[in-house]
Amino acid sequence: MKTYNEFKQVNYPKIGEDVLQYWKDNQIFEKSIANRDGAETFTFFEGPPSANGTPGIHHVMARTLKDIFCRYKTLQGYQVKRKGGWDTHGLPVELQVEKELGITKEDIGKKISVEEYNKKCKETVMRFKNEWDDLTEKIGYWVDLDDPYITFDSNYIETLWHLLKKFYDKGLLYKGYTIQPFSPAAGTGLSSHELNQPGTYKDVKDTSITAQFKLKDENNTYILAWTTTPWTLPSNSALAIGENLDYVKVKTFNPYTYEACQVILAKARMNAYLNPKAKDLKIEDYSAGDKLIPFEVIEEFKGKDMLGWEYEQLFPIEALALPHPAFTVVSGDYVTTEDGTGIVHLAKAFGADDFRTLVQNNVPGVFVKDEQGNEIPVVDRQGKFIPVVGEYLAAKMKEHGITAHKEYGVSDFYVKNYTEDDENAADYKNTDVIISIILKNENKAFKVEKYEHSYPHCWRTDKPVLYYPLESWFIKTTAYKDRLVELNKTINWKPEATGTGRFGNWLENLVDWNLSRSRFWGTPLPIWRTEDGSEEKCIGSIADLQTEIEKSVAKGFMEKSPYEGKELDLHRPYVDDVILVSEKGEKMFREPDLIDVWFDSGAMPYAQWHYPFENQDVFKANYPADYIAEGVDQTRGWFFTLHAIAVMLFDSVAFKNVIANGLVLDKNGNKMSKRLGNAVDPFKTLKEYGPDAVRWYMLSNANPWDNLKFNLDGVTEVQRRFFGTLQNTYNFFALYANLDEFVYEQSKAVAVSERAELDQWIISKLQSLIAEVEGAMDNYDATKATRAIMNFTVDQLSNWYVRLARKRFWRGEMNTDKQAAYETLYECLLSLTQLMSSFSPFYSDWMYQNLSKSAADGKESVHLTDWKMANNALINTDLEESMELAQTISSLVHSLRKKEKVKVRQPLQRILIPILKEKTKAQIEHLAELIKSEVNIKDIEFIDDASGILVKNVKPNLPVLGKKLGPKMRFVVAAINGWGQSEIAEIEREGKIAVEVDGETLELLLEEVLITSQDIPGWSVASDLGVTVALDVTISEELKQEGVARDLVNRIQNLRKDMGLEVQDKINISLEDSFDLVNASIENYGDYIQSETQALNLTLVKELDDSTNLEMDDFEIAVKVEKA
RNA sequence: GGGCCUGUAGCUCAGGUGGUUAGAGCGCUACACUGAUAAUGUAGAGGUCCGUGGUUCGAGUCCACGCAGGCCCA
């Protein structure tokens, strides 16, 4: 019976399927967790995917990355609970439903009830759960799929409410506004998605104004700022410059009033405002009305020099006056000199950039109070100026005698001009034009012109949109900015730059978290308000809600609870039916907003356990996460919301280690998309290549945080080069182990110290590998780990150890040396299965079981084993260095043989190795036998200084010399390069030497140069890595005979194979007596030939019948081989 | 427009703190081996280290400015 299964061919996909079935049948995953009951926990958080689309190949990457560290830590003895999860709310789901139903947001509540709509969303969102689960299993991502958290679940939402209430109680949840695209014609805000509809951006001609903002402390000096929305000028409260841009102050004249003035603008924009043809004209020669206006630069400065400059309000409307630091110059990182004046006018209410910049600089915006005392902008929701501004403009029209198609009342100043009747009137003037005329007349406009640009329009009304402040609920993240930054520094980011750069910068420029979404399918905001907004209540649990409902029913605001006799569903529309009662006895209605879905996922550490309502212990043992991984695109999404909630509510990080992985692109580096047809189907790929090779390829090919150019050829290569080589190595072991009936038994194994050098070496290498893999994995660097394993397997174990040790396996009966060889190879293979198991969980388990099913301590699965740490006592650095020397020397001899055209089978007498260090000599001698047999030579001779034939080379030791010499380096280097043998001898003898440089004498020390030996006169030499080898190519008669003997062995072995003999079959050989050389060879090496070919007899005969002709290098010889 | 990442051989990637002639695998070419054989070994060809400036005795490596591709945000 065979102990170790032998495989002619391996079917990797089938191994994946079989092992998956085995895991299921034997509950290996469950056992891997139950096994570690009571052990220290290692916590992983699953970033929930959305199952409303099918998974792609990039999910294989993401899920593999998540899986490997959990498996690794499990082996190391930690208990790693892994709860799966689903992200179920949000816009993509809504859009998909709308597309399928052929409706728009407009239709919700009309053509379809909110109830039906949300029901449809709920069905849609889990549509592809089965595909996801299937993929998850097939790629071997171990995660609990039976009990996942689902963000639409009532328990989940209850935790969200609990957290929101905590924010609320801390005073961190507030109602403010944010600048959003708004359609005054439709009276509604527009989502960025709506703005991205085709056709929304149209080319329009608007009146643009370059306005003059008068500096406070200087006469006739103005800052110029350009705008395509003149109606925002009354709301101006600051000007932004680029700190590093160059600005000029220019003496010139206003082109409309001809008044002398000094204007400030970006140097790079002068040509746009000041006619270059006028550059030679003199200021004094100008008279009002001249076409060419002279100008003269009188000062130049940087933008940062302008910071804090004060100017006078452009429209001095009393009700709009503001305190300092309004009307000052601030810095804006987005300011350019591509258009305008290089100075940007800021109106807080009407631009998102403006808003952000002003908030960051603590500059107030232009607002007025309404009856409730709320701040409102000077443009109302119909898109017209409120009377405060209207009055001013109407008065100015009169003052300046501006007439239009009609007389303007205080409420007629629409800023975006959508009353078509007016627009078509003959003498029509829009608000922008009126503002232009006023400013021109008042010496406040430097340039007015029509400007054609692309401007967004409402897709429904076709009217231009405004950027307008809309009410929103916010979390005051800015209050915790410092703590967020501080705690972020304790997180281990892979790659580091994502943590310090992308995420760190984001935290530095933090704005408050806008929680509000005006949608239907999502977590409702648990805040109820009275109609006048004077009282509000935040609900933190279902129990709270029930209590409040009861109060309200008692008060008579509701007949009965909307939930009476129904399943409790916190979603809209049910929750909207809840009317509560305020402290003062007023009716309270829920704020209709839903919350940002990122809050859903960022709260998963708590909500997945329904904390604090349940599972407090589980939560505490699994918080914060030791490790998470997600795409780098989540930096401002999930990574941020996890961090924000954890820091603000728990003063903790949410995760200690994080990998932000890159994208999976197609093999040409293009983004994969279903539309372009270059998307790789994960299921097909897994079916064809099996999960292990795909995982291994993804991890080893590039760092996970770099983008991966996914190429199936790469998967094939990994399969062939790595898995194929490993499989060959295993097959080799199994074949001979079974023949010898070898069975590994740890207790009876030969002590490592008693094994052959080669065994000790590979064991040492193996321990070094384990240490390297541990180091890499502890640092969350899977690429390094996989590459190290690959290198060991292919280069060290297969191409060196097995090749050199081959004969020990097939020759003779079982003895200690042979047993040691088996044990060594077995131990390497078994260790490899564990090292590999995190990355290629199926194949490694399969091989583990093949190797260990006969072992006394064999486990059901490699994934249930305990990590075998590196044994430092078995690491022999000296031996590893020796072997490296041996490998280098062998390689050099091979290349010399090739150069001299002497094949390896022809024995040669000796090689010469020049030796400058005793240690090197000892290290080579240590493995002399091995080198000799590997390259088929009889002797290694060393030549040292005493021989007197060494030719040495000298090189400067640059890092050492550089520090000492600095700029004189190149002279000294030139001097050293010109040295001959006598100088080298001198510095070696004296330990120092004098060098003349530039008339100066310097002393060089022995350690400042590197001496090597590269030449032996009259010999064919080769060198590499500081080792030089010379080969003696003289072939004596004796060597020739031995060469023939080896050739004969080789030819007879081929014959054996052709005859189909088994390895252990014995033979008889008859050779034709025809060549003296052959006869002599048989005379002297007959025993060798017989033992190698397992021949009982080797006879020379005069004539052979039924013989075969053997083709030797220079002749042919007849031979007859018979099975004995 | 801003932040961040990437750019090294035909392809995929390595290249601590700057150091003489920039490496590996695959692919290609030639040869060898033939008891791991649908394997394996050896050698060879193949480079403007994205560009331009700068710092330095010395730059793939450090700095500045660009170019190309990507991600996120406006």
Side-chain angles (χ1 to χ4, degrees):
Chain A
M1 196 201 110
K2 289 177 175 176
T3 308
Y4 303 103
N5 293 326
E6 294 170 33
F7 302 89
K8 281 265 178 305
Q9 274 182 331
V10 281
N11 179 340
Y12 297 102
K14 178 129 195 322
I15 290 174
E17 287 162 25
D18 291 350
V19 173
L20 179 59
Q21 196 55 49
Y22 176 82
W23 290 347
K24 281 189 186 170
D25 292 345
N26 296 282
Q27 302 198 297
I28 303 296
F29 175 42
E30 291 75 5
K31 284 178 187 166
S32 80
I33 293 171
N35 247 356
R36 305 299 189 192
D37 265 341
E40 206 182 317
T41 55
F42 176 86
T43 301
F44 165 77
F45 288 161
E46 163 80 332
S50 175
N52 69 324
T54 49
I57 193 78
H58 55 292
H59 293 110
V60 175
M61 177 77 201
R63 285 167 117 57
T64 299
L65 201 56
K66 293 174 178 188
D67 185 54
I68 51 178
F69 295 99
C70 295
R71 287 186 186 264
Y72 171 71
K73 291 292 175 179
T74 300
L75 294 178
Q76 290 201 320
Y78 295 89
Q79 187 175 45
V80 190
K81 290 206 168 132
R82 288 158 257 181
K83 203 171 166 70
W86 298 106
D87 191 19
T88 58
H89 287 145
L91 191 63
V93 188
E94 293 194 353
L95 292 178
Q96 190 172 333
V97 165
E98 286 157 28
K99 197 171 151 198
E100 283 169 19
L101 296 178
I103 61 167
T104 65
K105 283 259 181 303
E106 286 277 273
D107 300 323
I108 303 165
K110 294 173 191 159
K111 287 189 190 164
I112 182 172
S113 70
V114 175
E115 186 173 12
E116 284 170 89
Y117 176 82
N118 273 358
K119 191 169 158 232
K120 185 78 186 164
C121 286
K122 192 168 176 175
E123 284 163 17
T124 306
V125 74
M126 294 300 251
R127 181 177 298 163
F128 295 104
K129 180 176 182 292
N130 288 342
E131 274 86 342
W132 276 85
D133 285 353
D134 190 33
L135 183 79
T136 301
E137 282 191 342
K138 279 183 174 150
I139 61 171
Y141 174 37
W142 271 0
V143 64
D144 185 355
L145 296 172
D146 298 329
D147 183 27
Y149 66 89
I150 299 171
T151 58
F152 67 55
D153 190 80
S154 288
N155 282 345
Y156 196 93
I157 294 176
E158 187 178 26
T159 298
L160 299 180
W161 280 19
H162 166 80
L163 296 172
L164 288 166
K165 177 90 184 330
K166 284 183 85 165
F167 278 111
Y168 186 85
D169 290 345
K170 286 184 163 216
L172 295 170
L173 198 54
Y174 71 94
K175 193 171 189 178
Y177 56 85
T178 174
I179 311 305
Q180 290 167 27
F182 176 79
S183 169
T188 174
L190 300 172
S191 68
S192 57
H193 164 255
E194 286 171 302
L195 222 51
N196 283 330
Q197 295 293 322
T200 44
Y201 279 83
K202 295 179 188 179
D203 285 338
V204 290
K205 271 193 177 165
D206 278 328
T207 304
S208 75
I209 297 185
T210 301
Q212 297 186 177
F213 293 86
K214 185 177 178 302
L215 279 184
K216 253 192 177 163
D217 303 322
E218 279 184 69
N219 282 333
N220 295 332
T221 306
Y222 303 90
I223 300 175
L224 300 185
W226 176 71
T227 179
T228 56
T229 51
W231 58 271
T232 60
L233 286 170
S235 296
N236 171 277
S237 67
L239 296 170
I241 48 81
E243 293 194 29
N244 294 319
L245 301 177
D246 294 309
Y247 292 88
V248 288
K249 186 191 278 181
V250 182
K251 200 173 207 171
T252 185
F253 299 88
N254 183 289
Y256 304 114
T257 63
Y258 315 128
E259 283 182 33
C261 60
Q262 303 180 65
V263 296
I264 293 162
L265 73 166
K267 193 178 179 186
R269 297 301 301 166
M270 281 172 65
N271 283 347
Y273 286 94
L274 304 162
N275 193 337
K277 284 181 194 155
K279 97 173 144 32
D280 298 324
L281 300 181
K282 294 216 162 71
I283 298 279
E284 307 86 79
D285 297 344
Y286 177 77
S287 56
D290 285 356
K291 284 238 166 90
L292 279 182
I293 302 177
F295 63 93
E296 184 188 340
V297 175
I298 53 175
E299 214 179 322
E300 289 195 30
F301 35 83
K302 286 279 180 192
K304 55 173 166 278
D305 300 326
M306 298 168 66
L307 293 178
W309 288 6
E310 296 178 36
Y311 62 89
E312 290 172 5
Q313 188 170 13
L314 194 68
F315 286 86
I317 301 170
E318 213 168 311
L320 306 183
L322 290 172
H324 189 82
F327 315 121
T328 57
V329 174
V330 298
S331 167
D333 51 17
Y334 47 84
V335 178
T336 68
T337 54
E338 299 206 341
D339 47 24
T341 62
I343 297 158
V344 174
H345 128 75
L346 302 176
K348 196 171 182 182
F350 305 118
D353 271 335
D354 307 36
F355 181 81
R356 180 170 51 85
T357 309
L358 292 173
V359 166
Q360 281 168 355
N361 286 286
N362 284 315
V363 177
V366 173
F367 293 92
V368 295
K369 301 252 174 154
D370 67 2
E371 298 86 24
Q372 269 90 40
N374 298 318
E375 286 197 330
I376 56 164
V378 298
V379 172
D380 66 17
R381 287 182 157 239
Q382 279 84 53
K384 61 180 195 300
F385 275 123
I386 59 172
V388 172
V389 179
E391 257 168 48
Y392 179 86
L393 292 178
K396 283 285 175 192
M397 281 180 82
K398 286 218 175 76
E399 183 186 331
H400 293 291
I402 303 168
T403 56
H405 64 294
K406 67 171 186 185
E407 184 151 340
Y408 276 76
V410 295
S411 293
D412 286 336
F413 292 93
Y414 282 88
V415 301
K416 283 292 169 186
N417 318 290
Y418 64 89
T419 37
E420 280 169 25
D421 293 345
D422 287 344
E423 272 180 53
N424 295 331
D427 197 20
Y428 170 70
K429 287 195 179 66
N430 72 32
T431 304
D432 286 345
V433 171
I434 292 164
I435 287 175
S436 305
I437 298 171
I438 296 170
L439 293 181
K440 275 187 192 170
N441 288 348
E442 299 192 336
N443 193 36
K444 285 176 176 171
F446 195 75
K447 195 169 190 181
V448 174
E449 61 187 352
K450 289 281 178 190
Y451 181 78
E452 184 165 355
H453 62 153
S454 172
Y455 196 85
H457 291 67
C458 172
W459 59 277
R460 229 173 322 148
T461 62
D462 244 11
K463 296 291 174 189
V465 307
L466 300 182
Y467 288 88
Y468 196 84
L470 296 177
E471 286 191 320
S472 274
W473 285 86
F474 290 88
I475 291 180
K476 203 179 222 161
T477 40
T478 47
Y480 280 76
K481 181 178 140 184
D482 293 345
R483 193 64 181 145
L484 286 162
V485 169
E486 196 180 337
L487 283 174
N488 178 44
K489 288 182 180 149
T490 69
I491 296 171
N492 176 32
W493 281 86
K494 297 301 257 185
E496 199 193 334
T498 300
T500 55
R502 192 184 278 212
F503 195 67
N505 291 345
W506 161 250
L507 292 180
E508 292 291 347
N509 294 308
L510 202 61
V511 293
D512 285 346
W513 178 1
N514 182 3
L515 265 189
S516 292
R517 296 293 183 274
S518 313
R519 304 216 184 102
F520 299 92
W521 175 239
T523 303
L525 190 68
I527 293 177
W528 274 258
R529 276 190 150 202
T530 53
E531 265 179 310
D532 65 0
S534 64
E535 289 179 88
E536 63 187 34
K537 206 167 260 179
C538 182
I539 302 296
S541 69
I542 291 171
D544 271 6
L545 183 66
Q546 302 285 25
T547 314
E548 294 297 324
I549 288 175
E550 279 165 31
K551 279 192 214 165
S552 180
V553 171
K555 176 85 182 172
F557 287 167
M558 291 185 291
E559 234 171 75
K560 55 171 189 172
S561 165
Y563 292 118
E564 200 174 293
K566 268 196 242 168
E567 195 194 341
L568 190 122
D569 186 340
L570 298 176
H571 285 97
R572 297 181 75 177
Y574 317 106
V575 72
D576 295 333
D577 295 338
V578 174
I579 300 167
L580 299 183
V581 53
S582 77
E583 298 298 318
K584 291 184 186 157
E586 301 288 313
K587 279 189 178 177
M588 299 177 94
F589 300 92
R590 197 185 69 82
E591 288 286 290
D593 292 349
L594 301 182
I595 62 166
D596 184 8
V597 279
W598 289 112
F599 192 94
D600 287 10
S601 50
M604 61 69 62
Y606 327 94
Q608 69 171 338
W609 302 114
H610 194 209
Y611 173 87
F613 307 101
E614 288 181 78
N615 299 315
Q616 299 217 11
D617 295 345
V618 187
F619 169 74
K620 281 191 185 110
N622 288 287
Y623 185 83
D626 290 289
Y627 168 65
I628 62 170
E630 217 65 41
V632 68
D633 53 337
Q634 302 278 313
T635 306
R636 292 173 181 191
W638 194 51
F639 294 150
F640 171 68
T641 57
L642 273 177
H643 189 61
I645 295 172
V647 172
M648 295 178 75
L649 294 186
F650 297 84
D651 193 40
S652 163
V653 294
F655 47 91
K656 297 177 185 166
N657 300 283
V658 52
I659 298 181
N661 61 274
L663 265 63
V664 179
L665 308 170
D666 78 3
K667 63 179 173 186
N668 299 317
N670 299 313
K671 217 173 153 173
M672 285 189 192
S673 83
K674 282 178 188 160
R675 191 172 52 81
L676 294 175
N678 64 345
V680 175
D681 178 359
F683 293 100
K684 203 173 141 216
T685 308
L686 287 175
K687 185 137 191 74
E688 245 165 79
Y689 296 85
D692 297 298
V694 176
R695 286 172 63 126
W696 196 280
Y697 163 72
M698 287 181 148
L699 295 168
S700 65
N701 187 68
N703 285 317
W705 42 87
D706 291 331
N707 289 347
L708 173 69
K709 290 182 199 162
F710 187 85
N711 190 344
L712 288 171
D713 293 346
V715 182
T716 310
E717 187 185 324
V718 161
Q719 200 164 63
R720 232 168 30 93
R721 188 172 144 69
F722 175 58
F723 288 97
T725 305
L726 181 59
Q727 186 59 38
N728 274 331
T729 308
Y730 169 83
N731 280 345
F732 176 87
F733 168 81
L735 174 70
Y736 289 103
N738 289 334
L739 279 178
D740 279 321
E741 294 180 339
F742 168 83
V743 177
Y744 184 83
E745 277 182 79
Q746 193 168 18
S747 56
K748 292 183 185 165
V750 180
V752 173
S753 57
E754 319 248 307
R755 299 187 194 175
E757 291 275 20
L758 188 66
D759 297 345
Q760 293 189 27
W761 166 76
I762 194 72
I763 296 273
S764 171
K765 278 289 207 190
L766 176 68
Q767 302 309 314
S768 300
L769 171 70
I770 295 173
E772 195 178 346
V773 170
E774 279 176 0
M777 290 301 280
D778 290 344
N779 191 28
Y780 294 88
D781 192 341
T783 306
K784 209 171 189 176
T786 48
R787 285 178 181 174
I789 294 171
M790 224 167 0
N791 174 279
F792 172 86
T793 307
V794 176
D795 293 338
Q796 311 303 333
L797 184 64
S798 171
N799 289 350
W800 194 251
Y801 179 79
V802 172
R803 204 155 52 77
L804 264 55
R806 234 145 74 197
K807 289 190 177 170
R808 292 163 67 195
F809 291 93
W810 79 59
R811 198 182 276 154
E813 299 300 311
M814 187 60 96
N815 55 34
T816 310
D817 178 64
K818 193 171 188 176
Q819 187 191 332
Y822 276 123
E823 283 162 354
T824 302
L825 185 52
Y826 178 90
E827 287 162 10
C828 288
L829 288 170
L830 192 71
S831 286
L832 275 175
T833 63
Q834 190 182 55
L835 288 172
M836 290 166 64
S837 64
S838 302
F839 315 109
S840 52
F842 300 96
Y843 179 85
S844 55
D845 204 16
W846 174 78
M847 181 174 278
Y848 172 83
Q849 288 170 40
N850 283 325
L851 285 168
S852 71
K853 68 179 175 194
S854 59
D857 60 346
K859 295 279 196 330
E860 269 183 291
S861 161
V862 72
H863 304 291
L864 300 178
T865 58
D866 293 330
W867 185 258
K868 220 174 150 196
M869 292 201 301
N871 181 349
N872 288 325
L874 295 177
I875 294 181
N876 185 340
T877 322
D878 195 41
L879 181 58
E880 290 190 21
E881 277 173 27
S882 286
M883 194 60 82
E884 251 172 71
L885 273 172
Q887 289 173 336
T888 307
I889 291 166
S890 300
S891 162
L892 289 171
V893 174
H894 278 131
S895 101
L896 281 171
R897 276 180 172 274
K898 178 175 165 74
K899 195 163 107 193
E900 302 295 332
K901 297 196 165 59
V902 183
K903 61 187 183 182
V904 178
R905 217 183 289 124
Q906 173 61 56
L908 289 172
Q909 189 54 44
R910 58 179 183 154
I911 55 174
L912 271 74
I913 302 177
I915 288 298
L916 296 175
K917 276 191 286 187
E918 269 310 304
K919 190 184 173 199
T920 315
K921 182 177 175 185
Q923 283 181 322
I924 295 171
E925 276 180 327
H926 200 70
L927 293 173
E929 289 310 313
L930 188 149
I931 298 168
K932 287 193 274 184
S933 84
E934 171 66 7
V935 299
N936 200 15
I937 48 148
K938 300 291 179 197
D939 262 316
I940 299 175
E941 291 176 17
F942 299 96
I943 41 176
D944 52 24
D945 262 353
S947 69
I949 57 171
L950 278 186
V951 179
K952 293 182 184 173
N953 259 8
V954 64
K955 291 195 300 186
N957 189 346
L958 291 171
V960 176
L961 276 178
K963 284 198 184 75
K964 174 170 161 181
L965 297 174
K968 289 180 209 139
M969 270 286 277
R970 53 200 171 109
F971 303 111
V972 177
V973 168
I976 294 173
N977 286 339
W979 282 0
Q981 296 299 302
S982 62
E983 285 89 349
I984 297 173
E986 184 183 337
I987 196 169
E988 281 192 310
R989 193 174 57 242
E990 308 291 336
K992 60 183 182 184
I993 195 167
V995 182
E996 288 277 324
V997 173
D998 220 8
E1000 197 183 345
T1001 305
L1002 283 170
E1003 190 166 80
L1004 289 188
L1005 302 175
L1006 184 56
E1007 57 266 30
E1008 287 162 355
V1009 296
L1010 300 168
I1011 294 171
T1012 54
S1013 166
Q1014 273 195 330
D1015 234 349
I1016 303 169
W1019 287 69
S1020 181
V1021 301
S1023 44
D1024 186 31
L1025 299 171
V1027 188
T1028 299
V1029 176
L1031 180 66
D1032 183 349
V1033 290
T1034 321
I1035 301 172
S1036 65
E1037 184 56 28
E1038 211 183 347
L1039 290 172
K1040 184 82 195 160
Q1041 288 172 17
E1042 190 180 340
V1044 168
R1046 286 192 172 227
D1047 267 345
L1048 278 174
V1049 168
N1050 163 254
R1051 304 300 191 269
I1052 292 165
Q1053 297 286 34
N1054 286 346
L1055 264 187
R1056 282 185 58 122
K1057 227 172 134 186
D1058 292 345
M1059 292 163 69
L1061 297 184
E1062 293 295 320
V1063 172
Q1064 62 275 21
D1065 288 339
K1066 306 293 179 202
I1067 54 167
N1068 290 318
I1069 306 169
S1070 313
L1071 263 179
E1072 190 182 50
D1073 178 357
S1074 48
F1075 297 97
D1076 289 346
L1077 178 61
V1078 176
N1079 294 353
S1081 176
I1082 286 173
E1083 173 86 8
N1084 292 322
Y1085 296 97
D1087 292 347
Y1088 162 79
I1089 298 171
Q1090 277 182 254
S1091 87
E1092 284 293 312
T1093 58
Q1094 310 219 42
L1096 301 177
N1097 292 295
L1098 171 62
T1099 40
L1100 280 171
V1101 290
K1102 283 285 167 213
E1103 267 183 45
L1104 278 172
D1105 27 282
D1106 201 13
S1107 67
T1108 316
N1109 268 1
L1110 295 183
E1111 289 213 22
M1112 305 290 278
D1113 282 348
D1114 308 318
F1115 54 87
E1116 281 190 11
I1117 186 166
V1119 68
K1120 189 172 179 182
V1121 171
E1122 293 160 305
K1123 190 172 169 182

